[in-house]
Amino acid sequence: MIDVCLAGTGGMLPLPNRWLTCFWLEYNGKAALIDCGEGTQITLAKHGCKLSRLDALLITHAHADHISGLAGLLLSLGNYGKTDALTIYGHEGISTVIEQLCCICPMLPFPLEVKELSETEISRFEWNGLEVQSLPLRHRIPCLGYSFMLHRKPVFNPQKAKALDIPMQFWKQLHAGETVTTQDAVYTQDMVTDEKRPPLKITYMTDTLYFKEMTGFAKDSDLLVCEGMYGDDAYLPKMQEKMHMVFSQTAELAKHSGAKQLWLTHYSPALTDPAEYAAAVQEIFTDTVVSVDGQRMTLR
Amino acid sequence: MIDVCLAGTGGMLPLPNRWLTCFWLEYNGKAALIDCGEGTQITLAKHGCKLSRLDALLITHAHADHISGLAGLLLSLGNYGKTDALTIYGHEGISTVIEQLCCICPMLPFPLEVKELSETEISRFEWNGLEVQSLPLRHRIPCLGYSFMLHRKPVFNPQKAKALDIPMQFWKQLHAGETVTTQDAVYTQDMVTDEKRPPLKITYMTDTLYFKEMTGFAKDSDLLVCEGMYGDDAYLPKMQEKMHMVFSQTAELAKHSGAKQLWLTHYSPALTDPAEYAAAVQEIFTDTVVSVDGQRMTLR
C-alpha cells in the first residue's frame, strides 16, 4: 500500500492559493518527497504529510521553484527531532547547490547523504523496498523524472501446489521466490503461484518538453504525475521554447504510455482555472485529473 | 505619509496559519522590506504589498526564517518586470550569504547592490528620503535592528512671519530651512515656523535578547515593532539562553523608550494563541498590539 499526496500544483512561483508542485510518497512507515520549493514544508503540514517520516528527498532540478524551500525543510526536520540520515537524490552537480543553500542551516542535527544520478541515462536504485528509476528530462538545466516501483510477489495458489505434489514445507520459500532443490526434484516459484503481477508504478515528471523516451519511462504507470503549464494549445510554441508542456501533450503521453491515471501539475501562475480544460483533456485521456493542491491517493 | 504592513508574525518556521515575520514600509511610491523568510512573497501578495514597488531589502540576519525566501523573492521581482537595481542592506558578511543563496537564481534581469553595515556600531544611511539607522543586536549570529526616520519641516506660521516683518519673497526658502542674508538682516527658519517637530520614527528589532542600548535606539518611536517569542515569563531563562525575548520585556522596552505604539512579532510556533497575553502585556505598556499577520498602519 502506497500513499501519495500532490501537496502543491504550481509552477514558477508560489501563489496565495496555490503551492509549488511537490510530491509526497509514503510506504511502509517511511516517506520520500520530490522537490521542495518555497513553502513546501507549509503545504505538507497543511495536508497531513508528517515530516517525521521523511527519509528521502528527490530533487528534479535546481530551479528555485523546486528547491528554494530546502534550508527551511531541513531545519524543520531538525526541530521535529530527526537524527537519522536524510538521503537527497539529484542530478550530477546537485551537491554543490545543496551545499550553497545550506549556508543558512549549517548545524543540522542529522547527516545529509547526497547521491548524484546520471544526467544522460536512466539510473536505478533501491529506496525503502521500492525500485526507483530516474530519467534525464529535457529542460533548460539538468532535470530528472522519477519512477517508483513496488514489485509484488505473484499470488500464491495452493491448488496448483497440491496438484504438483509440492511438499508444504517449501511453500513459503517458493512463494518468496526462492528455488528449492531436493534429491528428487527442483521446485520453483511458478509451481506454487499464479502468473506474475506487474509492479505498482508511480511516475513523476516535471519540468521538461515532451520527448519520446518519456512514454517508455512512464509505461504502465498506475499513476502518472506530469507537468502541464497551460490548458490552451495556443501556448504550445511558447512552451516548447521554454521547455515545458501543455495539457494535451501530457494527456497524449498518458494515453500512449498505458498509464491508469494521470494527474496534471506545475500550472503557470497565469493559468487561474486549470479545471476549465478538464473536459478537453479527458477527451484525449479519460482518466486525467486536473489536480488540486493536496490531491491524495492510496495505491493497493 | 508612511504605510507599513507586518505581513508575518512567526519565528523559527512558517506555519499553515502564520507567516514568518517580515515588515513592509512604503513611502512616496517606493517600498522597503525587512527580511524575507520562506513564504514572504506569498504573504506580501496576500496583503496587497506590491512587489513592483520594492526598492530596498533590509536583512536582520542570516537565519533561515529571515532570509530563506530570498531567491524566490528575487525571481518574482524579475517576473514582475523589475529592471532597476535592488539594494540589499545587511551586516558584514551578508554578501557571501546572498551570493550562495542566489546560486538558484543566477540570471536576474536587474542588478543587486549589496551594502554591508557595521556589526559593532550604529550605521546611518539615507533611503528614499528617510534616514535609516541600524543597531547591532545580540543574537547567536550577527544581527541588526533598523530605524526609519522621516524628518519633517516645522509648521509654517504666517502670523509670526508677518509680526517679524519677514519679506514674503523669502518665506518659502526659510520654511525649507535655508538662511537668507540681506544687507539689513539675517533671516532663519525659526522666524517663520512653530517649534521643531520630531521625526516620524519606526523601529524594528528581532532577533535579540534585551540589552540597554535598544531602549535608546527605539527612543520616541511612533511605532516600535519588536520580537517576543512567548507571553509567559516562565520562558524567560530559556529565551535568554536562546538570545530572544518574552512579551513583558518587550513591553518594558516600549515603555522606557517612550514609543507611541508597540507591535509584538516573531512568536514561537509553540505559542498558538499570543492574544491570550494581551491584557497582561497591556498592563505594562497600554499601547501594545499583539500583532496578527497583515497588521497595517498609516503614519501621518
Side-chain angles (χ1 to χ4, degrees):
Chain A
M1 187 166 108
I2 299 178
D3 286 301
V4 298
C5 177
L6 184 65
T9 56
M12 286 181 69
L13 58 99
L15 300 174
N17 59 350
R18 190 187 293 159
W19 298 99
L20 289 169
T21 188
C22 60
F23 188 70
W24 181 263
L25 184 151
E26 205 168 315
Y27 173 63
N28 212 7
K30 287 186 177 178
L33 171 67
I34 305 184
D35 284 348
C36 56
E38 183 171 2
T40 289
Q41 64 165 313
I42 313 175
T43 184
L44 291 179
K46 204 165 170 173
H47 291 107
C49 304
K50 296 202 190 318
L51 276 194
S52 55
R53 297 185 183 159
L54 190 64
D55 185 68
L57 175 62
L58 295 84
I59 302 293
T60 59
H61 64 303
H63 273 158
D65 52 336
H66 296 258
I67 197 171
S68 56
L70 181 67
L73 180 80
L74 298 180
L75 284 166
S76 289
L77 285 172
N79 286 332
Y80 290 137
K82 188 170 181 69
T83 52
D84 57 325
L86 179 78
T87 311
I88 307 184
Y89 299 91
H91 53 74
E92 290 162 30
I94 200 75
S95 318
T96 314
V97 176
I98 293 170
E99 207 173 290
Q100 292 187 80
L101 294 180
C102 286
C103 71
I104 51 172
C105 54
M107 306 277 279
L108 295 171
F110 57 92
L112 293 182
E113 284 173 11
V114 182
K115 299 201 171 160
E116 298 195 345
L117 307 166
S118 173
E119 275 178 38
T120 52
E121 55 186 22
I122 290 176
S123 299
R124 288 176 179 77
F125 58 95
E126 189 271 341
W127 169 75
N128 186 28
L130 306 181
E131 181 189 340
V132 189
Q133 297 189 3
S134 62
L135 173 75
L137 299 176
R138 297 199 187 154
H139 198 46
R140 301 190 301 277
I141 59 171
C143 185
L144 298 175
Y146 293 99
S147 266
F148 294 84
M149 276 159 283
L150 172 59
H151 294 286
R152 297 174 292 180
K153 292 184 288 196
V155 175
F156 184 71
N157 184 339
Q159 283 73 32
K160 193 169 168 184
K162 279 179 193 161
L164 292 170
D165 270 339
I166 315 284
M168 202 178 279
Q169 72 203 80
F170 302 141
W171 287 10
K172 200 174 166 186
Q173 279 167 278
L174 292 171
H175 186 209
E178 291 177 35
T179 297
V180 176
T181 309
T182 66
Q183 278 183 321
D184 309 316
V186 174
Y187 302 113
T188 53
Q189 187 189 47
D190 61 294
M191 293 172 166
V192 301
T193 59
D194 291 332
E195 61 193 19
K196 290 201 170 162
R197 291 189 293 173
L200 263 187
K201 182 172 175 182
I202 297 158
T203 302
Y204 184 92
M205 294 189 285
T206 187
D207 300 6
T208 186
L209 47 70
Y210 174 72
F211 61 102
K212 212 178 60 193
E213 288 80 353
M214 290 171 74
T215 308
F217 186 72
K219 192 171 170 359
D220 297 333
S221 294
D222 293 275
L223 174 64
L224 168 61
V225 186
C226 189
E227 83 145 84
M229 287 286 278
Y230 285 97
D232 188 340
D233 280 348
Y235 285 95
L236 182 56
K238 191 178 160 196
M239 286 304 98
Q240 284 190 301
E241 184 197 325
K242 300 258 180 200
M243 306 191 85
H244 279 293
M245 292 168 70
V246 296
F247 286 12
S248 63
Q249 290 181 294
T250 318
E252 289 287 351
L253 161 63
K255 185 167 82 177
H256 292 109
S257 70
K260 289 206 182 62
Q261 190 168 131
L262 167 66
W263 288 4
L264 287 163
T265 192
H266 201 273
Y267 310 130
S268 163
L271 180 60
T272 48
D273 183 17
E276 203 187 316
Y277 299 92
V281 80
Q282 283 158 356
E283 270 196 29
I284 302 171
F285 183 70
T286 313
D287 293 313
T288 302
V289 176
V290 181
S291 318
V292 292
D293 292 0
Q295 195 81 38
R296 276 197 168 275
M297 190 182 185
T298 300
L299 293 99
R300 291 169 205 276
Chain B
M1 188 166 106
I2 299 178
D3 285 302
V4 299
C5 177
L6 184 66
T9 55
M12 285 181 68
L13 58 99
L15 300 174
N17 60 349
R18 189 189 293 160
W19 299 98
L20 288 170
T21 188
C22 59
F23 188 71
W24 181 264
L25 183 152
E26 204 169 314
Y27 173 63
N28 211 7
K30 288 187 176 177
L33 171 67
I34 304 184
D35 284 347
C36 56
E38 182 171 1
T40 288
Q41 64 165 313
I42 314 174
T43 184
L44 291 179
K46 206 165 170 172
H47 292 106
C49 304
K50 296 202 188 322
L51 276 194
S52 56
R53 297 186 185 160
L54 189 63
D55 184 69
L57 175 62
L58 295 84
I59 301 293
T60 58
H61 65 303
H63 273 159
D65 53 335
H66 296 259
I67 196 169
S68 57
L70 180 68
L73 180 80
L74 297 181
L75 284 165
S76 290
L77 284 173
N79 286 332
Y80 290 137
K82 188 171 182 67
T83 52
D84 57 326
L86 179 77
T87 311
I88 308 184
Y89 298 91
H91 54 73
E92 289 162 30
I94 200 75
S95 319
T96 313
V97 175
I98 293 170
E99 207 173 289
Q100 292 187 80
L101 294 180
C102 286
C103 71
I104 51 172
C105 54
M107 305 277 280
L108 294 171
F110 57 90
L112 293 183
E113 285 174 11
V114 182
K115 300 202 172 161
E116 298 195 345
L117 307 166
S118 172
E119 275 178 37
T120 51
E121 54 186 21
I122 290 177
S123 300
R124 287 174 181 79
F125 57 95
E126 189 271 340
W127 169 75
N128 186 29
L130 305 182
E131 179 188 341
V132 189
Q133 297 190 3
S134 62
L135 173 75
L137 299 176
R138 297 201 186 152
H139 198 46
R140 302 191 300 277
I141 59 171
C143 185
L144 299 175
Y146 294 98
S147 265
F148 293 84
M149 274 159 284
L150 172 60
H151 293 287
R152 298 175 289 182
K153 291 184 290 196
V155 175
F156 184 71
N157 184 338
Q159 282 73 34
K160 194 170 169 183
K162 279 178 193 162
L164 292 172
D165 270 338
I166 316 284
M168 202 178 280
Q169 72 205 79
F170 303 142
W171 285 11
K172 200 174 167 187
Q173 277 168 277
L174 293 171
H175 185 209
E178 292 177 37
T179 297
V180 176
T181 309
T182 65
Q183 278 182 316
D184 309 315
V186 174
Y187 303 113
T188 53
Q189 188 189 48
D190 59 295
M191 293 173 167
V192 301
T193 59
D194 290 333
E195 62 194 18
K196 290 200 171 166
R197 291 188 295 172
L200 262 187
K201 181 172 175 183
I202 298 158
T203 303
Y204 184 92
M205 294 188 286
T206 187
D207 298 8
T208 187
L209 46 71
Y210 174 71
F211 60 103
K212 210 177 62 193
E213 288 80 353
M214 290 172 74
T215 308
F217 186 72
K219 192 172 168 4
D220 297 333
S221 293
D222 293 275
L223 174 63
L224 168 62
V225 186
C226 188
E227 83 145 81
M229 287 284 280
Y230 286 96
D232 187 340
D233 280 347
Y235 284 95
L236 182 57
K238 192 179 158 196
M239 287 304 98
Q240 283 191 300
E241 184 196 324
K242 301 258 180 199
M243 306 190 86
H244 280 293
M245 292 166 71
V246 296
F247 287 11
S248 63
Q249 289 181 295
T250 319
E252 289 286 350
L253 161 63
K255 186 169 80 177
H256 291 110
S257 69
K260 289 207 182 60
Q261 190 168 131
L262 167 65
W263 287 5
L264 287 163
T265 191
H266 200 274
Y267 310 131
S268 164
L271 180 61
T272 48
D273 183 17
E276 204 185 314
Y277 298 93
V281 81
Q282 283 158 356
E283 270 196 28
I284 302 170
F285 182 71
T286 313
D287 293 313
T288 302
V289 175
V290 181
S291 319
V292 294
D293 292 0
Q295 195 82 37
R296 276 197 168 277
M297 192 182 184
T298 299
L299 294 101
R300 293 170 203 274

